[in-house]
Amino acid sequence: MKTSSPFSLFDVDMSHRIFVGLHISESTGKEVMKWSEQWKRSIPARWIPAHNLHITLLPPWEEDDIDGVKEKLKTIGKDIGLLQLEFHSVLYGPDPRKPRLIWAEGKTPEKLLVLKKQIERSFPNAAEHRPFLLHLTIARFHENDFRSFPVKMLHELIAWKDHFTSFTLFESHLLRSGAQYEVLGNYPL
């Protein structure tokens, strides 16, 4: 929300672009970076740095009341407990015929769906209305750039595992070099 006053020379933007997700561990981040190094010369994409790796549970939305969001998040996920996730392959996504991402996929455990639904019920205006697919974005590129890629098929088998005892509220800062994510709070499961 932009506010202005007759005493101000500039409009002030008070809203924040936030989202909810699972922050990937340092050890899984190292595995992803090791895998990515093999492909950076072959695939001219914008590779996600390890500190920004996450699984999105509620996509970004504009929010003025960050404290209110934090209070709601404190009441979510208490019955979930330890959440274990496994990624089995890396491929182009979300549509392999017109890709714009490189991501790792895995089977979605029921506990993850329960957590996602709890979060969506608390923030219905930010909820996505499409089926959830467990994925971890590793790189982004413009759909039109794919035509020039030397590697058109990507389906690498992997065995990355991670576990979570909390979920995270992030703020997204959009920069020329890509988004940077700031952790605003962690909430125990």
Side-chain angles (χ1 to χ4, degrees):
M1 168 183 5
K2 288 194 177 189
T3 60
S4 61
S5 116
F7 305 106
S8 171
L9 297 175
F10 304 100
D11 287 339
V12 178
D13 190 349
M14 300 300 291
S15 65
H16 300 265
R17 187 170 165 80
I18 61 172
F19 66 96
V20 179
L22 299 170
H23 202 273
I24 296 299
S25 70
E26 186 177 333
S27 61
T28 300
K30 286 179 181 177
E31 287 186 69
V32 173
M33 292 301 103
K34 183 178 175 183
W35 182 91
S36 299
E37 285 302 316
Q38 302 173 60
W39 291 94
K40 284 184 178 178
R41 287 181 215 83
S42 305
I43 302 176
R46 191 173 63 232
W47 296 87
I48 309 294
H51 65 272
N52 275 348
L53 292 171
H54 67 276
I55 299 161
T56 302
L57 297 176
L58 194 61
W61 79 96
E62 295 291 328
E63 183 60 56
D64 298 330
D65 184 12
I66 299 297
D67 290 335
V69 170
K70 289 178 177 182
E71 282 304 309
K72 281 185 183 180
L73 290 176
K74 287 179 184 178
T75 66
I76 296 172
K78 302 285 187 211
D79 57 340
I80 300 295
L82 179 68
L83 187 56
Q84 296 182 329
L85 303 180
E86 297 180 15
F87 297 94
H88 53 73
S89 57
V90 176
L91 51 147
Y92 289 121
D95 179 351
R97 294 168 301 192
K98 294 189 275 181
R100 56 186 172 76
L101 304 172
I102 297 172
W103 67 16
E105 283 186 358
K107 185 177 179 198
T108 306
E110 186 62 31
K111 287 170 83 171
L112 182 58
L113 292 175
V114 169
L115 175 61
K116 182 169 174 47
K117 286 177 187 170
Q118 288 178 7
I119 296 168
E120 288 176 340
R121 276 196 300 271
S122 293
F123 304 97
N125 292 337
E128 285 185 302
H129 302 289
R130 60 181 171 183
F132 180 74
L133 171 68
L134 175 60
H135 69 277
L136 172 63
T137 301
I138 299 170
R140 299 178 188 281
F141 52 88
H142 194 277
E143 185 180 308
N144 294 333
D145 293 340
F146 182 69
R147 284 179 258 169
S148 67
F149 282 16
V151 178
K152 300 286 191 222
M153 294 295 297
L154 181 63
H155 191 263
E156 290 265 313
L157 297 180
I158 54 167
W160 299 339
K161 297 179 183 181
D162 212 336
H163 67 277
F164 303 87
T165 57
S166 65
F167 64 96
T168 303
L169 175 64
F170 295 92
E171 182 171 0
S172 177
H173 302 283
L174 301 177
L175 308 173
R176 283 185 186 264
S177 59
Q180 292 296 318
Y181 307 125
E182 176 185 354
V183 172
L184 298 181
N186 287 304
Y187 302 89
L189 297 171

